[in-house]
Amino acid sequence: MLLFVAFGASARGRGTELPLEADTTIRMEEVVVQAPSIKQRAPLRQSPIAATQLLQSEVERLQLSAPKEVSCLVPNLYAPDYGSRMTSSIYVRGLGARIDQPVVGLNVDNVPMLNKDGYDLDVADIERLEVLRGPQSTLYGRNTMGGVINIRTLSPLTFQGARFLAEYGSGNSYKVRLSSYNRLHNLGIGVAANLGGSDGLFTNSYTGEKCDHEIGGGARFKVEWESEGWFIGNTFAASFLEQGGYPYRSVETGDIAYNDPCGYERATLSDALTLRYSGGRAMVESITSYQFLDDEMTLDQDFRPESYFTLEQLRREHALSEEVVVRSTTKSRYQWLVGAFGFWKGGDMQAPVLFKEEGIHNLILGNIPEGIEVDFPKEFLLDSDFDQLTYGAALYHESSLNLGRWLLTAGLRFDVEWARLDYLSSTHKPCRVNATTIEPYALNGDLRKRFTELLPKLSVLYRMGSHRLSNLYLSASKGYKAGGFNTQMFSEVLQNSLMKKMGISFNRQFAIDQVVGYDPEWSWNYELGGHLHLLKGDLLVDFSLFFIDCHDQQLTVFPPGQTTGRMMTNAGRTHSLGGELTLVARPTGQLNLSASYGYTHATFREYLSGEADYSGNRLPYAPEHTLAARAAYTFPIRSSWLERIIPSIDLRGAGPIAWNEENTLSQDLYLLGNFSLRFEHENYTLDLWCRNFTNTRYDLFYFKSVGREFMQQGRPRTFGVTVTANF
C-alpha cells in the first residue's frame, strides 16, 4: 500500500499530482522523478509491496525531520516518542521490541544504520522518505522483518541553491537549519547544518525543574561527481545530543518525582562512499560505510524520591559495512539482481549499578533471613564491563519475469551472523556476614552465538485497466531478526551470586546463559494487496490484507518481584493478522484529502512464561488500530510577495495498546488533532501551527522498576511558528 501525499509537488491538467518513483526516469502525466535505490526497479506503486512514500513538498509541509515522526501516518506503524532518543522503539503489524535490535531497518542515502541507538536523529533536507512494510529481509537483510525506512537527502547534482529554516515553539523549543548546494560541471558539493533544543515540557516535582530538556545538532558534507555512466559520491556526517531525562510518572502517585540525575548524551560520526557504473547490460553499485557512536545514559533507575540505585551506561562502538549490488538494465522480459553484504560492529560498554541506602536496605538486606547479621557499606557498586562483537555476511538474488499483465518475482538470501559478548561483572567493596568477611569478587567469561538463515520471497502481480496503472498482488516472504545478548540483567545476576556467596538462598535464581542470551525470531508473511488508480488519478486507493506467523518472537519482560533489570526472552509463537487502507483524493484543484487506516490483531499462540500461560492474549505495546486523516485547502493569492495560503488539519491516532502480557493494563484509542496555517511563496514560507490542539491526555509507555509501575504521558498541546527561505 503506497501513500501518495505530495500535494503541491506539481500541477497538471485538473491539478492532479502523481508523484512517482523509479530506478530510471519514468514519465507519467508529465511528472518525472528519479529513483532512490538500485534495489528498486519499478515504481513502488507498480510493485508487489505495501509502502508509504512522502516526497519533499509534503515532508516539509508536515514538518518531518526524524523517522519517528511518521508514526501513525503510515498504517500499522507506531513509533512512540518516550524516554530518550536512544529508545527508538518501532512497531509494525504487531512486531517490535523495546530493547536491543530493532524490527525495522533504517537506511539514510542507501547506508544502513547498524545501531538503533542512532535511529532517532534529525535529518536536514529530506528529498524523499519511504516506509516499506512487511519483511524486507531478502534485499535488506538482518533486522528488517517488520519493514524498512529509507530516507534520501538532497543531492547537489540535482538541486542547487541555499536553504534556511528557523522554528520556535512551546517549551522554548527552537530549530535552525542552514544548507547550500552547488554544482560546477560534473561536480556537486552540498553542506547542511542544524541545531535545535528545548527547555522541556514536563516537570520533576522533586527538583522543581524540567526533566526533558535537550540540545542537539549536526552537519553533513556531500561531494558527488558523475560522468559517462560513472557516479562517485561521499557523504560525511556528524551529530551531537544532550538530553535530560525522563518524564516517567508513578502510577501510584501520578507524579514525576525522582532525586538522582538522569540524562542521555550522544556523539556520532559516519562516512559513506558510493561508486556506481551503468553501462551495457548491467549497473554495478558499491557502498562502503564507517559509523561511530559514543553515548552515555544516566538513570535514577528506581524513579522515586528515595535513593535506591542508579545506572550509568557508557558505550563506544565502531562499525563497518560493505554492499555490492549488480542489476540488469536491459529491457527484456527477464530482469535480475544479485548482491553481497558484509558488516563488522565492535565496541565496549560499561554499565555500573550503584546501590544506595534505601536500595541496600530493601533489595539486598530485605532478602536476608532473620538470625544472619550482615554489615554492608552505605553504597555498594555492582560494576559491569562488556566487549561486544557482531559481524556477518550475506549473498542474495532476485529475479523477475514480465509476462504482459503478469509480473512474477522470486528472491533468496543466505545470511550468516556471529555474535560474541565478553563480560566482567564485579563488586568493589567487602561486606561481612556474621563474623565472615566477603571479599570483592568478579564474574567473567564470554558468550558466543551464530545465526544462519535462508530468506526466500515469492510474489505475483496482475496489472489491470487500459493503462495498467492499477494492480493486484499476492506475496509470501520470510522475515528474520537476529538473536543476541542483552546486558540489562547483569546487576541482578551479580546480586544473586553475591547472596549465594554469603550463604543465603532465596526464590530468584538467575543463570547468565538463561537471562542474557536470546534466540532469533523469524516469521512468514502472507499478503494480498493492490494499488488502484481511479477517476483519472483523482482518487488513489491502496489496500493490503496480511497474516504473519511468527516463531520465537523476542519480547521484553520484567522478571517477577522487586528486580532491578529487564530482559529479552523468546515468546514461543505469535500470530498477527490485519489490513491496511489508504485513500488519496483531490476533488478540486484546491482541496486535497488523504486518509490511512491500519488494523492489527496480534496475539500469543504459545507463550508459557513460567509464571502463567498467556496464550490468546494480545501482544503488549503494539496498537490494534492506527489512523490518520488530513485535509488541506489551497487559496491562490495574486501577489508578488505571496502565492498561496494553505490551512490544513490532520488527525492521528493509535490504540488500544496493551501494556502487559496479562492484558490487565492498556491505553485506549486516542486521537490527536493538529492544525497549520501556511503562507507560501516560491522563495519563502511562514507556517503557524498547533499540535494536539484538544490537549488530549494519553500515555506512550509503561514499565516496572523494583515492583512499582510507571508511565510516560504524551506531549500536551503545543504551538509554534516555522519560517523557511530558499535562495
Side-chain angles (χ1 to χ4, degrees):
M1 180 173 13
L2 181 63
L3 175 62
F4 284 99
V5 289
F7 308 122
S10 62
R12 301 288 188 266
R14 295 176 55 195
T16 302
E17 299 171 57
L18 298 172
L20 301 172
E21 66 294 329
D23 287 321
T24 54
T25 300
I26 298 291
R27 286 188 179 272
M28 184 177 297
E29 298 190 21
E30 301 184 344
V31 178
V32 181
V33 177
Q34 298 293 329
S37 170
I38 191 175
K39 296 180 181 180
Q40 295 178 11
R41 176 177 304 278
L44 285 176
R45 206 161 189 272
Q46 298 177 24
S47 304
I49 192 171
T52 296
Q53 179 178 261
L54 301 171
L55 299 185
Q56 181 183 350
S57 60
E58 194 65 8
V59 166
E60 294 180 353
R61 288 181 179 177
L62 291 169
Q63 300 176 9
L64 305 178
S65 61
K68 68 182 179 185
E69 293 172 354
V70 299
S71 178
C72 298
L73 281 174
V74 176
N76 281 325
L77 185 142
Y78 180 62
D81 183 14
Y82 70 88
S84 72
R85 286 181 176 245
M86 186 185 75
T87 306
S88 304
S89 297
I90 304 176
Y91 301 88
V92 181
R93 296 179 172 181
L95 304 175
R98 294 194 295 104
I99 61 175
D100 296 302
Q101 298 302 320
V103 75
V104 175
L106 173 63
N107 300 298
V108 180
D109 289 330
N110 297 321
V111 177
M113 300 286 291
L114 295 177
N115 190 324
K116 83 170 186 64
D117 287 7
Y119 268 33
D120 192 353
L121 75 167
D122 288 324
V123 183
D125 295 340
I126 297 175
E127 180 185 66
R128 137 186 357 215
L129 188 155
E130 61 186 29
V131 181
L132 314 183
R133 298 187 301 284
Q136 306 300 317
S137 303
T138 304
L139 291 182
Y140 292 94
R142 62 192 298 269
N143 303 330
T144 61
M145 66 180 293
V148 169
I149 299 175
N150 292 322
I151 296 177
R152 174 86 170 189
T153 62
L154 287 177
S155 165
L157 294 176
T158 58
F159 176 86
Q160 289 81 49
R163 295 164 57 83
F164 169 77
L165 177 145
E167 178 178 290
Y168 183 80
S170 301
N172 199 28
S173 63
Y174 65 92
K175 290 182 182 179
V176 179
R177 295 179 189 157
L178 291 169
S179 56
S180 176
Y181 300 87
N182 299 277
R183 176 168 182 164
L184 179 63
H185 302 298
N186 296 333
L187 179 68
I189 298 177
V191 180
N194 63 283
L195 179 69
S198 171
D199 287 347
L201 298 171
F202 298 95
T203 300
N204 181 346
S205 62
Y206 183 87
T207 63
E209 299 177 352
K210 300 293 184 183
C211 57
D212 57 328
H213 55 85
E214 72 170 66
I215 183 172
R220 183 177 67 241
F221 179 67
K222 267 190 177 185
V223 178
E224 297 180 343
W225 175 85
E226 63 179 359
S227 179
E228 298 180 352
W230 283 94
F231 172 87
I232 302 175
N234 192 86
T235 301
F236 172 81
S239 71
F240 78 94
L241 172 70
E242 294 182 10
Q243 280 188 289
Y246 292 82
Y248 297 149
R249 62 175 178 85
S250 167
V251 173
E252 181 181 356
T253 66
D255 293 331
I256 302 170
Y258 51 85
N259 61 327
D260 286 309
C262 285
Y264 178 63
E265 298 180 6
R266 182 180 69 198
T268 66
L269 294 173
S270 67
D271 191 80
L273 174 65
T274 300
L275 305 175
R276 183 169 61 244
Y277 176 74
S278 180
R281 297 185 176 183
M283 177 186 296
V284 183
E285 182 176 81
S286 166
I287 301 178
T288 307
S289 79
Y290 165 75
Q291 299 169 42
F292 170 75
L293 182 143
D294 188 352
D295 67 354
E296 178 180 355
M297 176 180 65
T298 305
L299 282 179
D300 179 342
Q301 206 164 2
D302 55 274
F303 293 103
R304 63 178 74 185
E306 298 82 17
S307 296
Y308 269 68
F309 64 111
T310 62
L311 167 68
E312 184 179 15
Q313 178 179 292
L314 301 93
R315 182 202 306 267
R316 179 170 293 183
E317 182 177 274
H318 301 267
L320 298 170
S321 71
E322 171 64 35
E323 185 163 25
V324 178
V325 184
V326 184
R327 196 196 75 191
S328 63
T329 56
T330 60
K331 296 183 178 180
S332 63
R333 290 179 177 271
Y334 173 69
Q335 302 289 335
W336 53 267
L337 177 151
V338 294
F341 176 76
F343 79 97
W344 177 94
K345 184 172 66 170
D348 59 84
M349 183 173 73
Q350 294 81 46
V353 175
L354 180 63
F355 282 84
K356 297 190 173 184
E357 187 173 353
E358 283 90 354
I360 292 173
H361 178 76
N362 290 282
L363 302 178
I364 298 178
L365 301 182
N367 291 307
I368 295 176
E370 294 183 5
I372 298 179
E373 296 182 3
V374 178
D375 183 16
F376 247 73
K378 291 185 178 181
E379 290 188 343
F380 195 74
L381 181 68
L382 301 180
D383 200 3
S384 294
D385 294 290
F386 308 103
D387 287 326
Q388 298 172 291
L389 176 64
T390 307
Y391 57 96
L395 295 173
Y396 58 93
H397 170 78
E398 182 179 88
S399 291
S400 60
L401 184 61
N402 193 337
L403 301 175
R405 291 184 178 271
W406 295 90
L407 177 66
L408 309 178
T409 304
L412 181 66
R413 184 186 188 100
F414 173 72
D415 195 291
V416 60
E417 181 174 325
W418 293 265
R420 174 172 174 169
L421 175 70
D422 295 327
Y423 61 87
L424 172 61
S425 288
S426 58
T427 63
H428 290 260
K429 290 183 179 181
C431 58
R432 293 179 61 85
V433 179
N434 292 331
T436 304
T437 299
I438 306 297
E439 298 294 340
Y441 75 105
L443 297 173
N444 65 79
D446 65 84
L447 299 170
R448 305 187 185 199
K449 287 181 175 289
R450 187 184 72 174
F451 316 108
T452 303
E453 284 290 333
L454 282 175
L455 301 165
K457 75 170 184 179
L458 295 169
S459 68
V460 56
L461 179 142
Y462 178 74
R463 304 181 180 96
M464 302 182 297
S466 58
H467 297 288
R468 300 185 181 181
L469 299 179
S470 298
N471 56 70
L472 299 174
Y473 68 87
L474 182 66
S475 67
S477 55
K478 186 178 181 180
Y480 165 68
K481 181 169 175 282
F485 311 104
N486 75 80
T487 58
Q488 302 286 337
M489 289 292 291
F490 263 95
S491 65
E492 198 73 34
V493 173
L494 189 59
Q495 183 189 158
N496 180 248
S497 299
L498 175 64
M499 293 296 187
K500 288 183 178 179
K501 196 172 184 67
M502 293 165 60
I504 301 168
S505 61
F506 54 101
N507 292 331
R508 298 198 315 271
Q509 301 291 331
F510 296 110
I512 292 177
D513 57 343
Q514 295 176 357
V515 301
V516 176
Y518 58 92
D519 296 328
E521 61 176 323
W522 58 274
S523 67
W524 276 100
N525 184 96
Y526 306 95
E527 189 167 328
L528 170 66
H531 314 297
L532 306 180
H533 186 278
L534 306 174
L535 303 178
K536 298 182 180 180
D538 286 341
L539 176 61
L540 303 178
V541 180
D542 297 321
F543 71 92
S544 64
L545 301 172
F546 61 86
F547 173 75
I548 302 173
D549 183 13
C550 184
H551 295 252
D552 297 324
Q553 182 160 355
Q554 295 165 8
L555 190 72
T556 304
V557 299
F558 304 99
Q562 293 195 30
T563 54
T564 59
R566 52 184 179 167
M567 59 182 286
M568 184 80 84
T569 187
N570 294 93
R573 190 174 182 181
T574 64
H575 282 175
S576 293
L577 58 92
E580 298 160 346
L581 178 67
T582 296
L583 304 174
V584 177
R586 190 157 189 170
T588 69
Q590 288 74 43
L591 179 61
N592 299 297
L593 304 173
S594 65
S596 63
Y597 169 72
Y599 171 75
T600 297
H601 183 67
T603 58
F604 294 110
R605 303 302 297 170
E606 301 172 6
Y607 181 28
L608 295 172
S609 69
E611 298 291 325
D613 183 359
Y614 298 125
S615 301
N617 288 6
R618 291 189 57 83
L619 270 65
Y621 300 99
E624 184 174 357
H625 306 277
T626 63
L627 57 94
R630 185 168 189 258
Y633 193 89
T634 301
F635 293 93
I637 304 296
R638 300 182 182 275
S639 170
S640 59
W641 57 273
L642 183 63
E643 295 178 352
R644 63 190 72 88
I645 299 176
I646 307 175
S648 64
I649 186 171
D650 73 81
L651 299 174
R652 305 180 200 181
I657 304 169
W659 293 128
N660 54 13
E661 293 80 17
E662 297 88 350
N663 290 181
T664 56
L665 298 170
S666 65
Q667 165 65 54
D668 294 334
L669 175 67
Y670 63 87
L671 293 175
L672 306 179
N674 306 311
F675 176 77
S676 169
L677 181 62
R678 186 177 177 92
F679 301 87
E680 285 191 352
H681 184 270
E682 181 181 1
N683 297 323
Y684 50 81
T685 66
L686 172 66
D687 201 336
L688 308 175
W689 49 264
C690 177
R691 295 166 188 159
N692 189 12
F693 59 73
T694 59
N695 204 29
T696 298
R697 185 185 176 97
Y698 61 103
D699 289 318
L700 292 168
F701 181 51
Y702 162 87
F703 71 100
K704 288 182 179 179
S705 179
V706 199
R708 291 194 179 182
E709 299 175 315
F710 295 87
M711 291 278 194
Q712 179 168 337
Q713 183 181 330
R715 291 175 178 266
R717 178 169 48 228
T718 56
F719 301 90
V721 56
T722 306
V723 177
T724 65
N726 300 313
F727 305 100

